[in-house]
Amino acid sequence: MISEPFAPQVMIQMWSEAAIDDELRSVVEGILALVRMTVREHIAAWVAAEPGRGGDDPERYIDGLTPIAMGLAPGFMIQRALSDGFDEEAYLEMLPEVLPH
C-alpha cells in the first residue's frame, strides 16, 4: 500500500473545494504547477532518450502527454477512495506499461 501525506479522501475534498474557493484554488494551482513541471521534466528526459519518440515536434508531444500522465494520480486516488475491491497493486503494476520509463 502507498503512503501519502493526506488520505485520498482529503485530497478529493480539497480538489472539490478548490473548484469553488478562489483562495484554495490558488494554492492548489501552485502545487499543480510544481507537479506539472516535474512530470514534464521526466517525460522530456524519456523523449530525449528514445530517438524518434515525439515525431517531428517533440515539445508538442511532451506538452500533450504531460496532462495525461498527471491525470493518472487523481484517477488512482478516486478509485482507491470510492471503489470497493479496487486493486491498487494491479494498477501500480500496469503503470510502467503506459508511462515513460
Side-chain angles (χ1 to χ4, degrees), residues 5-56:
F6 299 105
Q9 295 87 341
V10 173
M11 297 298 294
I12 294 166
Q13 183 67 36
M14 184 177 67
W15 296 330
S16 297
E17 291 294 325
I20 59 173
D21 180 322
D22 290 338
E23 188 174 335
L24 183 56
R25 181 184 187 122
S26 178
V27 171
V28 170
E29 283 181 338
I31 293 167
L32 286 176
L34 293 173
V35 172
R36 185 176 303 106
M37 182 175 63
T38 301
V39 169
R40 190 184 190 291
E41 287 172 1
H42 285 281
I43 292 172
W46 174 65
V47 168
E50 298 281 333
R53 178 141 335 253
D56 58 351

Side-chain angles (χ1 to χ4, degrees), residues 16-99:
S16 297
E17 291 294 325
I20 59 173
D21 180 322
D22 290 338
E23 188 174 335
L24 183 56
R25 181 184 187 122
S26 178
V27 171
V28 170
E29 283 181 338
I31 293 167
L32 286 176
L34 293 173
V35 172
R36 185 176 303 106
M37 182 175 63
T38 301
V39 169
R40 190 184 190 291
E41 287 172 1
H42 285 281
I43 292 172
W46 174 65
V47 168
E50 298 281 333
R53 178 141 335 253
D56 58 351
D57 193 350
E59 290 300 313
R60 183 170 184 248
Y61 180 82
I62 293 165
D63 288 341
L65 187 55
T66 297
I68 294 167
M70 287 185 62
L72 294 172
F76 174 81
M77 289 185 200
I78 288 168
Q79 291 179 81
R80 193 170 160 208
L82 302 175
S83 295
D84 290 337
F86 173 62
D87 190 342
E88 178 178 320
E89 297 301 321
Y91 184 101
L92 296 173
E93 286 175 14
M94 288 302 295
L95 281 179
E97 296 294 322
V98 296
L99 289 178

